[in-house]
Amino acid sequence: MPELPEMENYKNLLKDKIANQVVSDVQINREKSININPDLFKKTVQYQQIVDIKRRGKHLLLPAEK
């Protein structure tokens, strides 16, 4: 598990690379990680624009909008 300073670096790198990009495809490698139906998750996430990258503890949050 990455430490907090590493997560902050990942957040900043991702912000430079994918902020304001649209999610064109979704691949789910571990269904238990999302806790909802995989098809519903795909429909909800696909074609959303990532508006920011945030960090809460060791988790990265990717707020999106249509």
Side-chain angles (χ1 to χ4, degrees):
M1 181 66 130
E3 297 298 324
L4 288 177
E6 293 172 36
M7 294 307 293
E8 189 67 23
N9 287 338
Y10 292 142
K11 179 194 84 164
N12 293 331
L13 290 170
L14 284 171
K15 197 177 257 195
D16 291 341
K17 295 281 185 187
I18 66 171
N20 301 314
Q21 298 290 320
V22 175
V23 178
S24 60
D25 192 25
V26 177
Q27 179 179 347
I28 301 169
N29 294 323
R30 186 170 181 240
E31 291 182 13
K32 290 181 177 182
S33 296
I34 57 174
N35 293 324
I36 64 169
N37 180 293
D39 292 329
L40 177 60
F41 182 81
K42 277 186 173 187
K43 287 179 187 176
T44 304
V45 173
Q46 201 165 16
Y47 307 117
Q48 296 285 315
Q49 181 181 13
I50 299 168
V51 294
D52 197 7
I53 312 291
K54 297 181 180 188
R55 182 182 62 79
R56 184 176 299 153
K58 292 186 179 183
H59 294 52
L60 293 176
L61 308 173
L62 288 77
E65 62 183 31
K66 279 195 174 194

mmCIF file of all heavy atoms in Angstrom, residues 14-15 18-23 48-54 61-66:
data_model
loop_
_atom_site.group_PDB
_atom_site.id
_atom_site.type_symbol
_atom_site.label_atom_id
_atom_site.label_comp_id
_atom_site.label_asym_id
_atom_site.label_seq_id
_atom_site.Cartn_x
_atom_site.Cartn_y
_atom_site.Cartn_z
ATOM 1 N N LEU A 14 -1.568 12.427 -12.007
ATOM 2 C CA LEU A 14 -2.822 12.147 -12.708
ATOM 3 C C LEU A 14 -3.559 13.428 -13.076
ATOM 4 O O LEU A 14 -4.191 13.509 -14.124
ATOM 5 C CB LEU A 14 -3.712 11.249 -11.846
ATOM 6 C CG LEU A 14 -3.304 9.793 -11.789
ATOM 7 C CD1 LEU A 14 -4.127 9.051 -10.740
ATOM 8 C CD2 LEU A 14 -3.465 9.126 -13.149
ATOM 9 N N LYS A 15 -3.485 14.415 -12.211
ATOM 10 C CA LYS A 15 -4.135 15.693 -12.503
ATOM 11 C C LYS A 15 -3.574 16.290 -13.791
ATOM 12 O O LYS A 15 -4.314 16.813 -14.626
ATOM 13 C CB LYS A 15 -3.945 16.651 -11.329
ATOM 14 C CG LYS A 15 -4.889 17.825 -11.334
ATOM 15 C CD LYS A 15 -4.680 18.680 -10.107
ATOM 16 C CE LYS A 15 -5.781 18.420 -9.122
ATOM 17 N NZ LYS A 15 -5.869 19.423 -8.063
ATOM 18 N N ILE A 18 -4.780 13.345 -16.792
ATOM 19 C CA ILE A 18 -6.142 12.959 -17.162
ATOM 20 C C ILE A 18 -7.242 13.939 -16.747
ATOM 21 O O ILE A 18 -8.398 13.720 -17.090
ATOM 22 C CB ILE A 18 -6.490 11.548 -16.635
ATOM 23 C CG1 ILE A 18 -6.529 11.505 -15.114
ATOM 24 C CG2 ILE A 18 -5.539 10.511 -17.186
ATOM 25 C CD1 ILE A 18 -7.074 10.202 -14.557
ATOM 26 N N ALA A 19 -6.917 15.002 -16.035
ATOM 27 C CA ALA A 19 -7.946 15.975 -15.681
ATOM 28 C C ALA A 19 -8.547 16.549 -16.962
ATOM 29 O O ALA A 19 -7.845 16.801 -17.937
ATOM 30 C CB ALA A 19 -7.371 17.082 -14.810
ATOM 31 N N ASN A 20 -9.852 16.698 -16.975
ATOM 32 C CA ASN A 20 -10.627 17.208 -18.110
ATOM 33 C C ASN A 20 -10.709 16.236 -19.284
ATOM 34 O O ASN A 20 -11.175 16.606 -20.344
ATOM 35 C CB ASN A 20 -10.113 18.570 -18.568
ATOM 36 C CG ASN A 20 -10.181 19.598 -17.472
ATOM 37 O OD1 ASN A 20 -11.201 19.698 -16.787
ATOM 38 N ND2 ASN A 20 -9.113 20.329 -17.249
ATOM 39 N N GLN A 21 -10.285 14.990 -19.087
ATOM 40 C CA GLN A 21 -10.424 13.963 -20.117
ATOM 41 C C GLN A 21 -11.753 13.229 -19.915
ATOM 42 O O GLN A 21 -12.320 13.224 -18.833
ATOM 43 C CB GLN A 21 -9.274 12.950 -20.038
ATOM 44 C CG GLN A 21 -7.908 13.538 -20.273
ATOM 45 C CD GLN A 21 -7.703 13.958 -21.713
ATOM 46 O OE1 GLN A 21 -8.129 13.272 -22.626
ATOM 47 N NE2 GLN A 21 -7.057 15.087 -21.905
ATOM 48 N N VAL A 22 -12.239 12.613 -20.981
ATOM 49 C CA VAL A 22 -13.480 11.848 -20.928
ATOM 50 C C VAL A 22 -13.137 10.363 -20.830
ATOM 51 O O VAL A 22 -12.256 9.877 -21.549
ATOM 52 C CB VAL A 22 -14.342 12.123 -22.177
ATOM 53 C CG1 VAL A 22 -15.571 11.230 -22.194
ATOM 54 C CG2 VAL A 22 -14.739 13.589 -22.224
ATOM 55 N N VAL A 23 -13.831 9.656 -19.956
ATOM 56 C CA VAL A 23 -13.627 8.215 -19.804
ATOM 57 C C VAL A 23 -14.245 7.532 -21.019
ATOM 58 O O VAL A 23 -15.463 7.565 -21.216
ATOM 59 C CB VAL A 23 -14.289 7.692 -18.507
ATOM 60 C CG1 VAL A 23 -14.110 6.191 -18.386
ATOM 61 C CG2 VAL A 23 -13.724 8.409 -17.300
ATOM 62 N N GLN A 48 -18.036 10.041 -18.940
ATOM 63 C CA GLN A 48 -18.002 11.143 -17.982
ATOM 64 C C GLN A 48 -16.672 11.882 -18.125
ATOM 65 O O GLN A 48 -15.647 11.272 -18.401
ATOM 66 C CB GLN A 48 -18.117 10.610 -16.550
ATOM 67 C CG GLN A 48 -19.417 9.918 -16.241
ATOM 68 C CD GLN A 48 -20.548 10.907 -16.080
ATOM 69 O OE1 GLN A 48 -20.399 11.920 -15.413
ATOM 70 N NE2 GLN A 48 -21.667 10.615 -16.695
ATOM 71 N N GLN A 49 -16.685 13.176 -17.909
ATOM 72 C CA GLN A 49 -15.456 13.964 -17.931
ATOM 73 C C GLN A 49 -14.905 14.065 -16.517
ATOM 74 O O GLN A 49 -15.624 14.441 -15.586
ATOM 75 C CB GLN A 49 -15.712 15.361 -18.479
ATOM 76 C CG GLN A 49 -14.458 16.205 -18.536
ATOM 77 C CD GLN A 49 -14.717 17.596 -19.062
ATOM 78 O OE1 GLN A 49 -15.856 18.026 -19.160
ATOM 79 N NE2 GLN A 49 -13.659 18.291 -19.383
ATOM 80 N N ILE A 50 -13.642 13.729 -16.363
ATOM 81 C CA ILE A 50 -12.973 13.826 -15.062
ATOM 82 C C ILE A 50 -12.651 15.297 -14.835
ATOM 83 O O ILE A 50 -11.875 15.882 -15.585
ATOM 84 C CB ILE A 50 -11.693 12.975 -15.032
ATOM 85 C CG1 ILE A 50 -12.052 11.512 -15.253
ATOM 86 C CG2 ILE A 50 -10.950 13.167 -13.711
ATOM 87 C CD1 ILE A 50 -10.866 10.620 -15.518
ATOM 88 N N VAL A 51 -13.251 15.897 -13.817
ATOM 89 C CA VAL A 51 -13.083 17.337 -13.607
ATOM 90 C C VAL A 51 -11.965 17.676 -12.633
ATOM 91 O O VAL A 51 -11.483 18.804 -12.618
ATOM 92 C CB VAL A 51 -14.402 18.004 -13.155
ATOM 93 C CG1 VAL A 51 -15.436 17.926 -14.257
ATOM 94 C CG2 VAL A 51 -14.933 17.382 -11.884
ATOM 95 N N ASP A 52 -11.541 16.698 -11.836
ATOM 96 C CA ASP A 52 -10.487 16.971 -10.862
ATOM 97 C C ASP A 52 -9.961 15.642 -10.340
ATOM 98 O O ASP A 52 -10.574 14.595 -10.546
ATOM 99 C CB ASP A 52 -11.050 17.798 -9.695
ATOM 100 C CG ASP A 52 -9.973 18.467 -8.862
ATOM 101 O OD1 ASP A 52 -8.788 18.417 -9.252
ATOM 102 O OD2 ASP A 52 -10.326 19.044 -7.816
ATOM 103 N N ILE A 53 -8.815 15.672 -9.678
ATOM 104 C CA ILE A 53 -8.272 14.518 -8.972
ATOM 105 C C ILE A 53 -8.054 14.981 -7.535
ATOM 106 O O ILE A 53 -7.363 15.971 -7.303
ATOM 107 C CB ILE A 53 -6.918 14.042 -9.561
ATOM 108 C CG1 ILE A 53 -6.963 13.920 -11.081
ATOM 109 C CG2 ILE A 53 -6.473 12.755 -8.886
ATOM 110 C CD1 ILE A 53 -7.799 12.831 -11.615
ATOM 111 N N LYS A 54 -8.663 14.277 -6.596
ATOM 112 C CA LYS A 54 -8.524 14.632 -5.183
ATOM 113 C C LYS A 54 -8.026 13.422 -4.413
ATOM 114 O O LYS A 54 -8.109 12.297 -4.883
ATOM 115 C CB LYS A 54 -9.871 15.085 -4.614
ATOM 116 C CG LYS A 54 -10.399 16.339 -5.277
ATOM 117 C CD LYS A 54 -11.704 16.758 -4.673
ATOM 118 C CE LYS A 54 -12.192 18.027 -5.366
ATOM 119 N NZ LYS A 54 -13.344 18.588 -4.709
ATOM 120 N N LEU A 61 -9.747 10.228 -5.494
ATOM 121 C CA LEU A 61 -11.123 10.471 -5.919
ATOM 122 C C LEU A 61 -11.090 11.198 -7.242
ATOM 123 O O LEU A 61 -10.326 12.146 -7.422
ATOM 124 C CB LEU A 61 -11.853 11.305 -4.874
ATOM 125 C CG LEU A 61 -11.785 10.783 -3.440
ATOM 126 C CD1 LEU A 61 -12.409 11.784 -2.488
ATOM 127 C CD2 LEU A 61 -12.478 9.440 -3.331
ATOM 128 N N LEU A 62 -11.931 10.768 -8.162
ATOM 129 C CA LEU A 62 -11.982 11.371 -9.493
ATOM 130 C C LEU A 62 -13.395 11.888 -9.751
ATOM 131 O O LEU A 62 -14.203 11.191 -10.367
ATOM 132 C CB LEU A 62 -11.584 10.354 -10.565
ATOM 133 C CG LEU A 62 -10.111 9.974 -10.607
ATOM 134 C CD1 LEU A 62 -9.715 9.018 -9.535
ATOM 135 C CD2 LEU A 62 -9.748 9.443 -11.957
ATOM 136 N N PRO A 63 -13.721 13.089 -9.282
ATOM 137 C CA PRO A 63 -15.049 13.640 -9.547
ATOM 138 C C PRO A 63 -15.243 13.828 -11.047
ATOM 139 O O PRO A 63 -14.326 14.223 -11.761
ATOM 140 C CB PRO A 63 -15.053 14.985 -8.827
ATOM 141 C CG PRO A 63 -13.811 15.033 -8.012
ATOM 142 C CD PRO A 63 -12.896 13.982 -8.510
ATOM 143 N N ALA A 64 -16.461 13.537 -11.506
ATOM 144 C CA ALA A 64 -16.739 13.614 -12.944
ATOM 145 C C ALA A 64 -18.101 14.253 -13.173
ATOM 146 O O ALA A 64 -18.935 14.336 -12.271
ATOM 147 C CB ALA A 64 -16.692 12.224 -13.549
ATOM 148 N N GLU A 65 -18.316 14.676 -14.407
ATOM 149 C CA GLU A 65 -19.623 15.224 -14.812
ATOM 150 C C GLU A 65 -19.830 14.896 -16.288
ATOM 151 O O GLU A 65 -18.885 14.668 -17.031
ATOM 152 C CB GLU A 65 -19.718 16.708 -14.564
ATOM 153 C CG GLU A 65 -18.719 17.542 -15.334
ATOM 154 C CD GLU A 65 -18.792 19.007 -14.998
ATOM 155 O OE1 GLU A 65 -19.125 19.367 -13.862
ATOM 156 O OE2 GLU A 65 -18.523 19.802 -15.901
ATOM 157 N N LYS A 66 -21.085 14.902 -16.693
ATOM 158 C CA LYS A 66 -21.410 14.610 -18.095
ATOM 159 C C LYS A 66 -21.133 15.779 -18.975
ATOM 160 O O LYS A 66 -21.112 16.876 -18.666
ATOM 161 C CB LYS A 66 -22.873 14.207 -18.238
ATOM 162 C CG LYS A 66 -23.075 12.775 -17.888
ATOM 163 C CD LYS A 66 -24.404 12.296 -18.378
ATOM 164 C CE LYS A 66 -24.449 10.810 -18.101
ATOM 165 N NZ LYS A 66 -25.469 10.128 -18.756
#
